[in-house]
Amino acid sequence: MAGTLKTVSGKSKINLSNKKIAIVVAEWNEDVTEALFDGAHQALHALGVKKSNIIRVNVPGSFELPLAAQWMAEKKDIDGVICIGCVIQGDTPHFDYICQAVAYGVMKLNLKINKPIIFGVLTTLNKKQALERAGGKLGNKGEEAAVTVVKMLEIH
Ligand code: DLZ
């Protein structure tokens, strides 16, 4: 749920005009991930990141997020990466394998690359829960991911 610390409330403490952020977007559950992308993009811009410094990359599904995030994070001029995805539980354990792999992959990447790689991946039981968190009554987790990457840049 969006709390006060996680929503955009003004410009950042640091100068973000020269910071470059990649947003990697999974195409599975596209209606949800597009809404998350919009939330992240708008929030980054509102916080002070130039639109020309927000780089979008698409991947087929959430499982592909860590590798594409690594490719982006390895670039010298990229300061942080936001991973956007939406994994919805189905009838088989596939959901668990994807969620665990992506969460672990993104976490490992943070430590390996030493740049903030944000986990903006919804893992929900159904589409309704996902839409509620992608601009619905529970806020937009893409926006929260943007605030998180900026907070991490402020710390570092
Ligand atoms: C195969 C699959 C399934 C069943 N469900 C989702 C999902 O809910 N969300 C998502 O982002 N991706 C899903 N995928 C695709 C996998 O992430 C991956 O793209 C494929 O297994 C190929 O590696």
Side-chain angles (χ1 to χ4, degrees):
M1 194 176 306
T4 48
L5 280 173
K6 292 178 178 174
T7 51
V8 178
S9 57
K11 295 283 176 196
S12 169
K13 286 184 270 186
I14 59 170
N15 178 14
L16 292 173
S17 67
N18 57 353
K19 298 289 185 195
K20 210 167 186 178
I21 307 294
I23 307 181
V24 187
V25 185
E27 290 170 348
W28 263 77
N29 301 309
E30 195 178 21
D31 49 344
V32 176
T33 60
E34 284 303 319
L36 295 173
F37 169 78
D38 288 345
H41 190 277
Q42 282 168 24
L44 284 178
H45 186 54
L47 285 160
V49 181
K50 284 185 193 157
K51 285 187 179 172
S52 57
N53 283 340
I54 304 173
I55 314 300
R56 175 177 176 154
V57 180
N58 275 21
V59 292
S62 292
F63 191 80
E64 284 70 44
L65 286 169
L67 180 57
Q70 177 168 299
W71 289 335
M72 297 311 293
E74 279 173 344
K75 293 179 192 292
K76 276 205 169 62
D77 61 340
I78 294 288
D79 298 288
V81 180
I82 296 172
C83 297
I84 297 281
C86 171
V87 194
I88 298 179
Q89 192 168 36
D91 294 333
T92 71
H94 203 260
F95 172 83
D96 302 299
Y97 289 108
I98 296 181
C99 294
Q100 279 176 24
V102 179
Y104 185 61
V106 171
M107 184 276 289
K108 262 180 69 180
L109 205 51
N110 275 273
L111 304 179
K112 177 184 170 195
I113 307 273
N114 203 29
K115 291 180 185 177
I117 320 287
I118 308 306
F119 185 72
V121 180
L122 296 179
T123 58
T124 62
L125 303 180
N126 52 50
K127 182 62 105 32
K128 181 173 173 279
Q129 285 185 344
L131 290 169
E132 284 172 353
R133 291 159 177 78
K137 69 177 184 188
L138 297 179
N140 187 314
K141 298 290 172 186
E143 179 181 336
E144 292 183 14
V147 172
T148 304
V149 79
V150 168
K151 282 182 181 289
M152 291 303 287
L153 292 173
E154 287 174 349
I155 292 168
H156 198 243

